[in-house]
Amino acid sequence: MIMNLGVALALAATLGAPPAQPPTGKLPGTKAVIVAKMAGRPIQLTSYGAPTPSRPHDGSWAWDPAKRAFVAADGTLSVSPDERWAALLHESRGLGVPKVTVTDRETGERTEIELPVPQDPTRENGYLHTLWPTWSPDARHLLLNVFEAGGEPRSAGIVLIETPTLKPRFVRIDKALITVGGFQWTRDGKGVVVRWGKNGKTSIRQYDLEGAVKRTWKVRGRPVAQGQGTFTPSGRRFVTACMSLESSACVWDTTTGKAVTRVKLPSSPVWGSVLGWYDERRLIAATGKGIGVIDLKGKVVETLVTLGKNQHFYPRFEARERG
């Protein structure tokens, strides 16, 4: 499992070498293929899901840099931008207390944390559904989304886990619309943003880490979740997945909230179009062949992973501080 990082990681950290990145080649359990060198990039491919119609909750794989391989995982992995912390949210589907295991890659020490998530009043011994672990840009906090009870995609709040103490706390933020990705970090790591309103008419709200509303942008779409995240490294712009079926990336000016550009992308019913920022001027997004890097005019700079037409593939690209 990804949690067994062992002595090799501690030795690599001691020597100052960054953890190994995935090599080119076919990804286990899929027809997807990494076709570009991943080392030295500002982003990392840390895990992916490849469910099938007959096994919708299976097919999760996480990159283990010690083994230099993707291995089967029992949950969702998220790696901090400084690559010190690896957090694995265990799959519970709301049954039992949700837990996350955080590994300190400098020491190999693993800590299992019970999340302070409210119980689900609609189910016996159930807890509110908790998804999408996401690290802050400064690696000081891990965020997890908590859904309200019932079928509507609304928030009950978030759980924040601080490093290095690994102490968790629940922050109540009611009724945010948390479809796909949910809450995302501001660039300074001092706040979070989330979609607000009703499908078809939404805005983006910013909250501080105590749950107070700080700002609202009246823009289309949802904040995106991967790579450098919703905001560019400078914080001057942010991107949303927008238009019908999230077929475009909409870029906005952070200060004014005004539109900068809209980039139309290939869409697929089985994998998303808009993933997040690659760097200050480029995005990780769908290409004609799979997933890769595009510029703000829609030109494909490079394809990173090729995909089959009917391949259900849900990758997790995250920021890196090291080359």
PDB file of all heavy atoms in Angstrom, residues 279-310:
ATOM      1  N   ASP A 279       1.004  26.064 -14.666  1.00  0.00           N
ATOM      2  CA  ASP A 279       1.892  27.115 -14.186  1.00  0.00           C
ATOM      3  C   ASP A 279       1.153  28.440 -14.357  1.00  0.00           C
ATOM      4  O   ASP A 279      -0.088  28.456 -14.460  1.00  0.00           O
ATOM      5  CB  ASP A 279       3.250  27.100 -14.893  1.00  0.00           C
ATOM      6  CG  ASP A 279       3.137  27.203 -16.422  1.00  0.00           C
ATOM      7  OD1 ASP A 279       2.088  27.666 -16.930  1.00  0.00           O
ATOM      8  OD2 ASP A 279       4.103  26.827 -17.115  1.00  0.00           O
ATOM      9  N   GLU A 280       1.861  29.548 -14.406  1.00  0.00           N
ATOM     10  CA  GLU A 280       1.206  30.865 -14.453  1.00  0.00           C
ATOM     11  C   GLU A 280       0.381  31.088 -15.715  1.00  0.00           C
ATOM     12  O   GLU A 280      -0.623  31.804 -15.685  1.00  0.00           O
ATOM     13  CB  GLU A 280       2.273  31.962 -14.333  1.00  0.00           C
ATOM     14  CG  GLU A 280       1.727  33.364 -14.130  1.00  0.00           C
ATOM     15  CD  GLU A 280       1.134  33.568 -12.746  1.00  0.00           C
ATOM     16  OE1 GLU A 280       1.508  32.836 -11.804  1.00  0.00           O
ATOM     17  OE2 GLU A 280       0.285  34.466 -12.613  1.00  0.00           O
ATOM     18  N   ARG A 281       0.756  30.464 -16.820  1.00  0.00           N
ATOM     19  CA  ARG A 281       0.120  30.773 -18.104  1.00  0.00           C
ATOM     20  C   ARG A 281      -0.473  29.559 -18.819  1.00  0.00           C
ATOM     21  O   ARG A 281      -0.991  29.697 -19.919  1.00  0.00           O
ATOM     22  CB  ARG A 281       1.128  31.444 -19.042  1.00  0.00           C
ATOM     23  CG  ARG A 281       1.630  32.789 -18.529  1.00  0.00           C
ATOM     24  CD  ARG A 281       2.617  33.416 -19.491  1.00  0.00           C
ATOM     25  NE  ARG A 281       3.088  34.711 -19.013  1.00  0.00           N
ATOM     26  CZ  ARG A 281       2.463  35.866 -19.233  1.00  0.00           C
ATOM     27  NH1 ARG A 281       1.327  35.870 -19.924  1.00  0.00           N
ATOM     28  NH2 ARG A 281       2.956  36.993 -18.771  1.00  0.00           N
ATOM     29  N   ARG A 282      -0.374  28.395 -18.209  1.00  0.00           N
ATOM     30  CA  ARG A 282      -0.873  27.184 -18.873  1.00  0.00           C
ATOM     31  C   ARG A 282      -1.721  26.353 -17.921  1.00  0.00           C
ATOM     32  O   ARG A 282      -1.583  26.453 -16.696  1.00  0.00           O
ATOM     33  CB  ARG A 282       0.304  26.364 -19.405  1.00  0.00           C
ATOM     34  CG  ARG A 282       1.087  27.079 -20.507  1.00  0.00           C
ATOM     35  CD  ARG A 282       2.315  26.294 -20.923  1.00  0.00           C
ATOM     36  NE  ARG A 282       3.325  26.281 -19.888  1.00  0.00           N
ATOM     37  CZ  ARG A 282       4.511  25.675 -20.007  1.00  0.00           C
ATOM     38  NH1 ARG A 282       4.804  25.015 -21.125  1.00  0.00           N
ATOM     39  NH2 ARG A 282       5.385  25.715 -19.031  1.00  0.00           N
ATOM     40  N   LEU A 283      -2.580  25.532 -18.507  1.00  0.00           N
ATOM     41  CA  LEU A 283      -3.523  24.715 -17.751  1.00  0.00           C
ATOM     42  C   LEU A 283      -3.246  23.228 -17.963  1.00  0.00           C
ATOM     43  O   LEU A 283      -2.709  22.822 -18.995  1.00  0.00           O
ATOM     44  CB  LEU A 283      -4.957  25.004 -18.196  1.00  0.00           C
ATOM     45  CG  LEU A 283      -5.494  26.416 -17.991  1.00  0.00           C
ATOM     46  CD1 LEU A 283      -6.786  26.598 -18.782  1.00  0.00           C
ATOM     47  CD2 LEU A 283      -5.743  26.695 -16.505  1.00  0.00           C
ATOM     48  N   ILE A 284      -3.634  22.405 -16.981  1.00  0.00           N
ATOM     49  CA  ILE A 284      -3.780  20.967 -17.186  1.00  0.00           C
ATOM     50  C   ILE A 284      -5.227  20.748 -17.591  1.00  0.00           C
ATOM     51  O   ILE A 284      -6.149  21.152 -16.871  1.00  0.00           O
ATOM     52  CB  ILE A 284      -3.490  20.173 -15.914  1.00  0.00           C
ATOM     53  CG1 ILE A 284      -2.128  20.511 -15.350  1.00  0.00           C
ATOM     54  CG2 ILE A 284      -3.579  18.669 -16.190  1.00  0.00           C
ATOM     55  CD1 ILE A 284      -1.904  19.901 -13.992  1.00  0.00           C
ATOM     56  N   ALA A 285      -5.453  20.111 -18.720  1.00  0.00           N
ATOM     57  CA  ALA A 285      -6.809  19.988 -19.235  1.00  0.00           C
ATOM     58  C   ALA A 285      -6.874  18.863 -20.262  1.00  0.00           C
ATOM     59  O   ALA A 285      -5.865  18.230 -20.602  1.00  0.00           O
ATOM     60  CB  ALA A 285      -7.259  21.311 -19.868  1.00  0.00           C
ATOM     61  N   ALA A 286      -8.086  18.626 -20.752  1.00  0.00           N
ATOM     62  CA  ALA A 286      -8.284  17.628 -21.789  1.00  0.00           C
ATOM     63  C   ALA A 286      -7.621  18.074 -23.086  1.00  0.00           C
ATOM     64  O   ALA A 286      -7.632  19.254 -23.438  1.00  0.00           O
ATOM     65  CB  ALA A 286      -9.774  17.423 -22.018  1.00  0.00           C
ATOM     66  N   THR A 287      -7.020  17.118 -23.778  1.00  0.00           N
ATOM     67  CA  THR A 287      -6.515  17.337 -25.128  1.00  0.00           C
ATOM     68  C   THR A 287      -7.286  16.385 -26.051  1.00  0.00           C
ATOM     69  O   THR A 287      -8.116  15.609 -25.592  1.00  0.00           O
ATOM     70  CB  THR A 287      -5.008  17.040 -25.214  1.00  0.00           C
ATOM     71  OG1 THR A 287      -4.795  15.634 -25.046  1.00  0.00           O
ATOM     72  CG2 THR A 287      -4.236  17.794 -24.141  1.00  0.00           C
ATOM     73  N   GLY A 288      -6.998  16.430 -27.306  1.00  0.00           N
ATOM     74  CA  GLY A 288      -7.685  15.521 -28.214  1.00  0.00           C
ATOM     75  C   GLY A 288      -7.347  14.068 -27.972  1.00  0.00           C
ATOM     76  O   GLY A 288      -8.114  13.170 -28.307  1.00  0.00           O
ATOM     77  N   LYS A 289      -6.189  13.814 -27.325  1.00  0.00           N
ATOM     78  CA  LYS A 289      -5.732  12.438 -27.112  1.00  0.00           C
ATOM     79  C   LYS A 289      -5.840  11.969 -25.672  1.00  0.00           C
ATOM     80  O   LYS A 289      -5.703  10.778 -25.398  1.00  0.00           O
ATOM     81  CB  LYS A 289      -4.272  12.312 -27.565  1.00  0.00           C
ATOM     82  CG  LYS A 289      -4.059  12.569 -29.057  1.00  0.00           C
ATOM     83  CD  LYS A 289      -2.592  12.432 -29.419  1.00  0.00           C
ATOM     84  CE  LYS A 289      -2.379  12.673 -30.906  1.00  0.00           C
ATOM     85  NZ  LYS A 289      -0.938  12.557 -31.275  1.00  0.00           N
ATOM     86  N   GLY A 290      -6.056  12.904 -24.761  1.00  0.00           N
ATOM     87  CA  GLY A 290      -6.115  12.518 -23.359  1.00  0.00           C
ATOM     88  C   GLY A 290      -6.064  13.726 -22.457  1.00  0.00           C
ATOM     89  O   GLY A 290      -6.910  14.613 -22.538  1.00  0.00           O
ATOM     90  N   ILE A 291      -5.038  13.798 -21.610  1.00  0.00           N
ATOM     91  CA  ILE A 291      -4.876  14.901 -20.663  1.00  0.00           C
ATOM     92  C   ILE A 291      -3.464  15.456 -20.803  1.00  0.00           C
ATOM     93  O   ILE A 291      -2.491  14.700 -20.895  1.00  0.00           O
ATOM     94  CB  ILE A 291      -5.128  14.426 -19.220  1.00  0.00           C
ATOM     95  CG1 ILE A 291      -6.583  13.969 -19.067  1.00  0.00           C
ATOM     96  CG2 ILE A 291      -4.816  15.527 -18.225  1.00  0.00           C
ATOM     97  CD1 ILE A 291      -6.870  13.273 -17.779  1.00  0.00           C
ATOM     98  N   GLY A 292      -3.365  16.789 -20.835  1.00  0.00           N
ATOM     99  CA  GLY A 292      -2.051  17.387 -21.010  1.00  0.00           C
ATOM    100  C   GLY A 292      -2.026  18.853 -20.660  1.00  0.00           C
ATOM    101  O   GLY A 292      -2.854  19.340 -19.883  1.00  0.00           O
ATOM    102  N   VAL A 293      -1.090  19.576 -21.242  1.00  0.00           N
ATOM    103  CA  VAL A 293      -0.868  20.989 -20.963  1.00  0.00           C
ATOM    104  C   VAL A 293      -1.342  21.807 -22.158  1.00  0.00           C
ATOM    105  O   VAL A 293      -1.004  21.504 -23.305  1.00  0.00           O
ATOM    106  CB  VAL A 293       0.634  21.262 -20.715  1.00  0.00           C
ATOM    107  CG1 VAL A 293       0.866  22.727 -20.358  1.00  0.00           C
ATOM    108  CG2 VAL A 293       1.167  20.350 -19.614  1.00  0.00           C
ATOM    109  N   ILE A 294      -2.165  22.845 -21.901  1.00  0.00           N
ATOM    110  CA  ILE A 294      -2.643  23.721 -22.966  1.00  0.00           C
ATOM    111  C   ILE A 294      -2.355  25.170 -22.593  1.00  0.00           C
ATOM    112  O   ILE A 294      -2.220  25.497 -21.412  1.00  0.00           O
ATOM    113  CB  ILE A 294      -4.147  23.539 -23.238  1.00  0.00           C
ATOM    114  CG1 ILE A 294      -4.973  24.047 -22.052  1.00  0.00           C
ATOM    115  CG2 ILE A 294      -4.491  22.092 -23.548  1.00  0.00           C
ATOM    116  CD1 ILE A 294      -6.430  24.247 -22.380  1.00  0.00           C
ATOM    117  N   ASP A 295      -2.260  26.037 -23.604  1.00  0.00           N
ATOM    118  CA  ASP A 295      -2.097  27.455 -23.310  1.00  0.00           C
ATOM    119  C   ASP A 295      -3.475  28.122 -23.278  1.00  0.00           C
ATOM    120  O   ASP A 295      -4.511  27.472 -23.488  1.00  0.00           O
ATOM    121  CB  ASP A 295      -1.143  28.126 -24.295  1.00  0.00           C
ATOM    122  CG  ASP A 295      -1.663  28.154 -25.733  1.00  0.00           C
ATOM    123  OD1 ASP A 295      -2.892  28.025 -25.952  1.00  0.00           O
ATOM    124  OD2 ASP A 295      -0.840  28.324 -26.647  1.00  0.00           O
ATOM    125  N   LEU A 296      -3.492  29.413 -23.033  1.00  0.00           N
ATOM    126  CA  LEU A 296      -4.768  30.111 -22.844  1.00  0.00           C
ATOM    127  C   LEU A 296      -5.449  30.472 -24.156  1.00  0.00           C
ATOM    128  O   LEU A 296      -6.507  31.105 -24.155  1.00  0.00           O
ATOM    129  CB  LEU A 296      -4.561  31.358 -21.984  1.00  0.00           C
ATOM    130  CG  LEU A 296      -4.079  31.085 -20.556  1.00  0.00           C
ATOM    131  CD1 LEU A 296      -4.059  32.363 -19.741  1.00  0.00           C
ATOM    132  CD2 LEU A 296      -4.932  30.029 -19.862  1.00  0.00           C
ATOM    133  N   LYS A 297      -4.877  30.037 -25.270  1.00  0.00           N
ATOM    134  CA  LYS A 297      -5.550  30.146 -26.558  1.00  0.00           C
ATOM    135  C   LYS A 297      -6.137  28.797 -26.995  1.00  0.00           C
ATOM    136  O   LYS A 297      -6.686  28.679 -28.084  1.00  0.00           O
ATOM    137  CB  LYS A 297      -4.591  30.674 -27.620  1.00  0.00           C
ATOM    138  CG  LYS A 297      -4.148  32.117 -27.358  1.00  0.00           C
ATOM    139  CD  LYS A 297      -3.244  32.622 -28.481  1.00  0.00           C
ATOM    140  CE  LYS A 297      -2.837  34.076 -28.231  1.00  0.00           C
ATOM    141  NZ  LYS A 297      -1.938  34.592 -29.308  1.00  0.00           N
ATOM    142  N   GLY A 298      -5.951  27.790 -26.149  1.00  0.00           N
ATOM    143  CA  GLY A 298      -6.485  26.469 -26.449  1.00  0.00           C
ATOM    144  C   GLY A 298      -5.530  25.573 -27.209  1.00  0.00           C
ATOM    145  O   GLY A 298      -5.900  24.448 -27.576  1.00  0.00           O
ATOM    146  N   LYS A 299      -4.319  26.025 -27.435  1.00  0.00           N
ATOM    147  CA  LYS A 299      -3.336  25.210 -28.159  1.00  0.00           C
ATOM    148  C   LYS A 299      -2.759  24.158 -27.221  1.00  0.00           C
ATOM    149  O   LYS A 299      -2.356  24.453 -26.096  1.00  0.00           O
ATOM    150  CB  LYS A 299      -2.210  26.085 -28.703  1.00  0.00           C
ATOM    151  CG  LYS A 299      -1.141  25.300 -29.449  1.00  0.00           C
ATOM    152  CD  LYS A 299      -0.016  26.206 -29.916  1.00  0.00           C
ATOM    153  CE  LYS A 299       1.092  25.408 -30.603  1.00  0.00           C
ATOM    154  NZ  LYS A 299       2.206  26.280 -31.045  1.00  0.00           N
ATOM    155  N   VAL A 300      -2.706  22.917 -27.707  1.00  0.00           N
ATOM    156  CA  VAL A 300      -2.118  21.831 -26.928  1.00  0.00           C
ATOM    157  C   VAL A 300      -0.598  21.970 -26.958  1.00  0.00           C
ATOM    158  O   VAL A 300       0.029  21.885 -28.014  1.00  0.00           O
ATOM    159  CB  VAL A 300      -2.537  20.456 -27.462  1.00  0.00           C
ATOM    160  CG1 VAL A 300      -1.836  19.340 -26.689  1.00  0.00           C
ATOM    161  CG2 VAL A 300      -4.052  20.285 -27.377  1.00  0.00           C
ATOM    162  N   VAL A 301      -0.009  22.190 -25.806  1.00  0.00           N
ATOM    163  CA  VAL A 301       1.441  22.297 -25.688  1.00  0.00           C
ATOM    164  C   VAL A 301       2.063  20.903 -25.626  1.00  0.00           C
ATOM    165  O   VAL A 301       3.092  20.640 -26.239  1.00  0.00           O
ATOM    166  CB  VAL A 301       1.827  23.114 -24.434  1.00  0.00           C
ATOM    167  CG1 VAL A 301       3.343  23.170 -24.259  1.00  0.00           C
ATOM    168  CG2 VAL A 301       1.238  24.516 -24.507  1.00  0.00           C
ATOM    169  N   GLU A 302       1.398  20.015 -24.885  1.00  0.00           N
ATOM    170  CA  GLU A 302       1.943  18.677 -24.677  1.00  0.00           C
ATOM    171  C   GLU A 302       0.862  17.779 -24.088  1.00  0.00           C
ATOM    172  O   GLU A 302       0.104  18.201 -23.216  1.00  0.00           O
ATOM    173  CB  GLU A 302       3.127  18.770 -23.701  1.00  0.00           C
ATOM    174  CG  GLU A 302       3.869  17.486 -23.456  1.00  0.00           C
ATOM    175  CD  GLU A 302       5.016  17.675 -22.482  1.00  0.00           C
ATOM    176  OE1 GLU A 302       5.009  18.696 -21.754  1.00  0.00           O
ATOM    177  OE2 GLU A 302       5.911  16.812 -22.434  1.00  0.00           O
ATOM    178  N   THR A 303       0.776  16.547 -24.570  1.00  0.00           N
ATOM    179  CA  THR A 303      -0.092  15.544 -23.957  1.00  0.00           C
ATOM    180  C   THR A 303       0.736  14.736 -22.970  1.00  0.00           C
ATOM    181  O   THR A 303       1.824  14.258 -23.311  1.00  0.00           O
ATOM    182  CB  THR A 303      -0.721  14.621 -25.011  1.00  0.00           C
ATOM    183  OG1 THR A 303      -1.599  15.391 -25.830  1.00  0.00           O
ATOM    184  CG2 THR A 303      -1.531  13.508 -24.349  1.00  0.00           C
ATOM    185  N   LEU A 304       0.228  14.599 -21.750  1.00  0.00           N
ATOM    186  CA  LEU A 304       0.940  13.860 -20.703  1.00  0.00           C
ATOM    187  C   LEU A 304       0.485  12.407 -20.617  1.00  0.00           C
ATOM    188  O   LEU A 304       1.300  11.500 -20.437  1.00  0.00           O
ATOM    189  CB  LEU A 304       0.733  14.538 -19.340  1.00  0.00           C
ATOM    190  CG  LEU A 304       1.149  16.001 -19.238  1.00  0.00           C
ATOM    191  CD1 LEU A 304       0.823  16.533 -17.850  1.00  0.00           C
ATOM    192  CD2 LEU A 304       2.630  16.184 -19.547  1.00  0.00           C
ATOM    193  N   VAL A 305      -0.844  12.212 -20.713  1.00  0.00           N
ATOM    194  CA  VAL A 305      -1.429  10.870 -20.599  1.00  0.00           C
ATOM    195  C   VAL A 305      -2.400  10.673 -21.750  1.00  0.00           C
ATOM    196  O   VAL A 305      -3.289  11.513 -21.965  1.00  0.00           O
ATOM    197  CB  VAL A 305      -2.171  10.693 -19.252  1.00  0.00           C
ATOM    198  CG1 VAL A 305      -2.751   9.279 -19.142  1.00  0.00           C
ATOM    199  CG2 VAL A 305      -1.249  10.978 -18.079  1.00  0.00           C
ATOM    200  N   THR A 306      -2.246   9.598 -22.506  1.00  0.00           N
ATOM    201  CA  THR A 306      -3.208   9.277 -23.563  1.00  0.00           C
ATOM    202  C   THR A 306      -4.263   8.327 -23.007  1.00  0.00           C
ATOM    203  O   THR A 306      -3.974   7.488 -22.136  1.00  0.00           O
ATOM    204  CB  THR A 306      -2.520   8.622 -24.776  1.00  0.00           C
ATOM    205  OG1 THR A 306      -1.846   7.425 -24.357  1.00  0.00           O
ATOM    206  CG2 THR A 306      -1.539   9.577 -25.419  1.00  0.00           C
ATOM    207  N   LEU A 307      -5.486   8.464 -23.515  1.00  0.00           N
ATOM    208  CA  LEU A 307      -6.623   7.694 -23.006  1.00  0.00           C
ATOM    209  C   LEU A 307      -7.414   7.088 -24.151  1.00  0.00           C
ATOM    210  O   LEU A 307      -7.508   7.675 -25.234  1.00  0.00           O
ATOM    211  CB  LEU A 307      -7.560   8.593 -22.190  1.00  0.00           C
ATOM    212  CG  LEU A 307      -6.959   9.302 -20.976  1.00  0.00           C
ATOM    213  CD1 LEU A 307      -7.959  10.287 -20.402  1.00  0.00           C
ATOM    214  CD2 LEU A 307      -6.560   8.290 -19.908  1.00  0.00           C
ATOM    215  N   GLY A 308      -8.008   5.926 -23.893  1.00  0.00           N
ATOM    216  CA  GLY A 308      -8.950   5.357 -24.835  1.00  0.00           C
ATOM    217  C   GLY A 308     -10.268   6.105 -24.775  1.00  0.00           C
ATOM    218  O   GLY A 308     -10.586   6.759 -23.773  1.00  0.00           O
ATOM    219  N   LYS A 309     -11.064   6.023 -25.837  1.00  0.00           N
ATOM    220  CA  LYS A 309     -12.319   6.773 -25.907  1.00  0.00           C
ATOM    221  C   LYS A 309     -13.256   6.470 -24.754  1.00  0.00           C
ATOM    222  O   LYS A 309     -13.907   7.346 -24.211  1.00  0.00           O
ATOM    223  CB  LYS A 309     -13.032   6.464 -27.226  1.00  0.00           C
ATOM    224  CG  LYS A 309     -12.829   7.521 -28.286  1.00  0.00           C
ATOM    225  CD  LYS A 309     -13.698   7.239 -29.482  1.00  0.00           C
ATOM    226  CE  LYS A 309     -13.434   8.299 -30.556  1.00  0.00           C
ATOM    227  NZ  LYS A 309     -14.235   8.030 -31.760  1.00  0.00           N
ATOM    228  N   ASN A 310     -13.371   5.209 -24.398  1.00  0.00           N
ATOM    229  CA  ASN A 310     -14.323   4.799 -23.365  1.00  0.00           C
ATOM    230  C   ASN A 310     -13.667   4.517 -22.025  1.00  0.00           C
ATOM    231  O   ASN A 310     -14.267   3.870 -21.167  1.00  0.00           O
ATOM    232  CB  ASN A 310     -15.099   3.563 -23.845  1.00  0.00           C
ATOM    233  CG  ASN A 310     -15.895   3.842 -25.104  1.00  0.00           C
ATOM    234  OD1 ASN A 310     -16.537   4.886 -25.208  1.00  0.00           O
ATOM    235  ND2 ASN A 310     -15.834   2.938 -26.069  1.00  0.00           N
TER     236      ASN A 310
END
